[in-house]
Amino acid sequence: MAEIVFKKNFSQTISTPVEFTQKKRQLTQEEIGILKANRNRNSDETWQNIWVPNEKDAFDANLIFDCEISGFLVIGRLVKATLQFHDLVLETGFFHSYLENVVVGDDVVVRNVAYLSNYHLANRVMLFNIQEMSCTKHSKFGNGILKEGEPESNRIWIGVGNENDARAVLPFENMIPADAFLWSRYREDKEILQRFVEMTEYGQQKSLTTFGIVEDDAVIKNCTLLKDAKIGKNAYIKGAFKLKNITILSSPDEVSQVGEGVELVNGIVGYGSRIFYQAVAVRFVIGRNCQLKYGARLLNSVLGDNSTVSCCEILNNLIFPFHEQHHNSSFLIASTIGGQSNIASGATIGSNHNSRAPDGEMIAGRGFWPGLCSDFKHNGKFASFVLVAKGSYQHELNITYPFALVATNGANQPVSIIPGYWFMYNMYAIARNMSKFQKRDKRVKKVQHIETAPFAPDTMQEVLEALDRIIELTGRYLKSHGDAKAVAAANDEELFQIAKDFLHQNPNAQLILEDSRCQKKYGALIYKPVRSFQEYRKVLKYFAVASLIDYCTIRHIPTLTQAELERIEQLPLYTRWINVGGQIMPEEKVNELLGYIKTGAIFSWEQVHAFYDESFALYTAYKTTYAIHILEQLYSKPIFNFTKEIYEDILTGVTAITNEMYSSAFSSREKDYNDYFRSITFRNKAEQEAVIGSIDHNEFLNEMKPQTEMFRKKMQELFTQLC
């Protein structure tokens, strides 16, 4: 029979750190008598381990009742008062609690806290009904740093983008998706990876003297365990199960909340985020204004600002801002998602792999939207704003056409792709996109810059590449079908030009192209390529004109002139773009940033963020030169050689797309109100309007109409000095 050994721990007298006792005094004999009479116990028989304010009438010993005190206790102002948060009203003071090595600010409530150890509480903090709240000396509050004497194996990594941790990043308090993106992508450069570690360590406290932190006006009630936690100002935590090695960032303007049954371990919660109802997060960074709720599981992931995750499971992901996933049956693993995404119910991404090792992954651009009950095989890659129809995709996909619809034709068959599908059939969603995301952005401080416009340099870069691919495939089609000019082409360049001319001259041609790059083994069938070619060119012109209008607005000029064009020519031209955590940056600027980091010219993440800010400040200028470049590509000549006819053609094309954007948005939304099957559940038209409203009261369409008219007016003025 095993021997049972009982051990009793005796508290040792711990000297109070001198920095906490300034303007403090020790207890008088009268106060000690009151504390004893109020059934308080102390490991120090002299009661000299308690420090209180030196000011007259700033301490009332009667407000400490039935408490056990060990180590030291430093108290701020404690006078008879009440604190209220919603329906919770409590008298200030310490009641029925165990206090060990605790420093508190003014007007604090600590009631029914069974074990409170090694914590700093700021002013007006409320702690109520907590089983354990403690902090170890080596706590990092979710940051991926090491304390004095700790081995490298103690470091907490987040394995984003890949299950084998080969893209792992270290979390830190001010991390944004852009930082995680840089760290996770440039893995071949060992020097830059080491610099990222050093930057994460920069300025961090290494000594083993850490106290837990609860900042001003935070409220924590009815919780089981808080260990090694840093709680920000005005945070509200109720009914949490376990909060361990975490930071919860919060402020009066961006209040964070944690609710019932929540378990958070090894991570950082961003400002203004809300986590409720049995959600679990382990090894994570959650951005600003995010929601995690209803049993969601977020593991080894970085979740971008303004995202909502409910019910589902998310493992080993890097997710950019504005991500929606709120279905119990959806699953996302080993992916990098470009934001503005929506994962539908039943979607299982990463449900199978293409090797025996768990090293597969997926990359999707902005606006990724897989349909109900769709599943994908790693590896996979999707261009921006790809809509994937319901189905099981048995082979790896590489969808290079932005704004496309992808559909399966069954096992061992080519997939079907309609490039530019959104422009043909769902312009309402595209037109509404930017407005929708801007309204959902509730961040007060916007550290991560986010491009919400569907038409931006990253998507236009993909459109240009898709245009070239359509032309290339059309050339192959013409040649294989015996077109005389195509057969006679002397080389690939000549065939490319023949195909391009064909697409221009035959707008009603009905072709189905084959693209072997889009799906492993079975390729893809490209439907409506001629229409797609036309739509892609329209949106390129629209982006160019919109960018030039933005430039004129910032310059406070109504129209472009030759002098302005010459000024724009002096600005740098960037033609390669990267979505860096939601911010669209020129690839050359990203490389420039990495160079500064490697040389030590940039040595902190704050400086990296300052670089993002500088790049964002010049974003309109960068877009302007890129807009000019696109127009020159479309018309195959420098803009200084553009004729009146070319400018008129640009205006005609952009006017057409603005008309289409509004009319298509209106008509596609009108169907929701007028469709017969939408009305069958209602007794009459009045009931239908009471439930779903009417198109006349559609807020977005009502806003879109004057905005479209204003855009047209500015567009008509844009080239008046150049024509």
Side-chain angles (χ1 to χ4, degrees), residues 136-151:
T136 59
K137 294 296 184 181
H138 54 76
S139 174
K140 298 100 175 173
F141 305 126
N143 292 278
I145 62 172
L146 296 177
K147 290 296 186 75
E148 290 176 351
E150 287 190 321

Side-chain angles (χ1 to χ4, degrees), residues 358-393:
D359 57 0
E361 58 188 39
M362 186 195 77
I363 298 175
R366 291 194 291 136
F368 179 58
W369 198 328
L372 296 167
C373 300
S374 54
D375 64 82
F376 305 91
K377 185 171 186 177
H378 285 350
N379 289 350
K381 190 173 182 181
F382 298 85
S384 300
F385 293 95
V386 168
L387 174 64
V388 186
K390 174 181 178 179
S392 182
Y393 295 83

Side-chain angles (χ1 to χ4, degrees), residues 163-178:
E163 285 183 89
N164 66 3
D165 289 339
R167 297 191 185 278
V169 303
L170 291 176
F172 51 92
E173 189 170 303
N174 59 342
M175 172 179 268
I176 60 176

Side-chain angles (χ1 to χ4, degrees), residues 166-401:
R167 297 191 185 278
V169 303
L170 291 176
F172 51 92
E173 189 170 303
N174 59 342
M175 172 179 268
I176 60 176
D179 307 329
F181 172 79
L182 294 180
W183 201 328
S184 68
R185 298 312 301 176
Y186 296 89
R187 305 302 292 192
E188 74 282 4
D189 193 329
K190 302 302 181 185
E191 184 179 354
I192 198 73
L193 297 182
Q194 180 57 38
R195 292 289 295 119
F196 288 150
V197 174
E198 294 168 2
M199 289 162 55
T200 302
E201 295 274 6
Y202 177 77
Q204 296 285 347
Q205 180 185 345
K206 298 288 189 176
S207 63
L208 300 176
T209 57
T210 307
F211 286 83
I213 298 170
V214 181
E215 297 181 344
D216 291 348
D217 301 295
V219 177
I220 306 173
K221 68 176 187 179
N222 301 326
C223 295
T224 304
L225 172 66
L226 289 90
K227 188 169 186 177
D228 299 341
K230 178 181 177 182
I231 311 300
K233 293 180 179 179
N234 295 83
Y236 179 36
I237 301 172
K238 58 173 181 175
F241 172 64
K242 179 193 288 187
L243 307 181
K244 183 177 180 181
N245 190 32
I246 64 161
T247 292
I248 298 178
L249 299 170
S250 182
S251 71
D253 294 326
E254 295 177 286
V255 175
S256 292
Q257 300 181 36
V258 177
E260 294 82 356
V262 168
E263 185 171 357
L264 305 176
V265 179
N266 298 334
I268 295 165
V269 177
Y271 289 92
S273 290
R274 297 161 299 285
I275 306 175
F276 293 118
Y277 311 128
Q278 291 79 48
V280 176
V282 180
R283 293 185 183 240
F284 66 92
V285 173
I286 295 174
R288 276 178 145 90
N289 188 40
C290 290
Q291 295 189 58
L292 189 69
K293 53 191 178 180
Y294 303 128
R297 296 176 298 283
L298 180 76
L299 311 176
N300 260 309
S301 296
V302 173
L303 181 66
D305 298 354
N306 302 312
S307 295
T308 299
V309 171
S310 305
C311 313
C312 58
E313 187 168 5
I314 294 180
L315 314 174
N316 299 93
N317 297 289
L318 171 55
I319 301 174
F320 293 2
F322 290 111
H323 178 78
E324 294 283 328
Q325 189 170 348
H326 40 246
H327 304 283
N328 195 48
S329 53
S330 61
F331 174 75
L332 181 65
I333 189 170
S335 300
T336 299
I337 308 293
Q340 297 159 51
S341 37
N342 195 318
I343 308 300
S345 179
T348 53
I349 297 171
S351 55
N352 46 35
H353 295 271
N354 59 0
S355 73
R356 294 178 178 85
D359 57 0
E361 58 188 39
M362 186 195 77
I363 298 175
R366 291 194 291 136
F368 179 58
W369 198 328
L372 296 167
C373 300
S374 54
D375 64 82
F376 305 91
K377 185 171 186 177
H378 285 350
N379 289 350
K381 190 173 182 181
F382 298 85
S384 300
F385 293 95
V386 168
L387 174 64
V388 186
K390 174 181 178 179
S392 182
Y393 295 83
Q394 300 293 313
H395 303 279
E396 296 91 323
L397 297 175
N398 177 33
I399 308 303
T400 58
Y401 301 93

Side-chain angles (χ1 to χ4, degrees), residues 42 153 200 226 239 481:
N42 197 332
S153 59
T200 302
L226 289 90
H481 284 72

Side-chain angles (χ1 to χ4, degrees), residues 79 106 114 118 152 188 262 311 353 390 410 456 492 602 604:
V79 296
D106 297 339
N118 204 36
E152 188 64 33
E188 74 282 4
V262 168
C311 313
H353 295 271
K390 174 181 178 179
D492 290 342
I602 287 178
S604 71

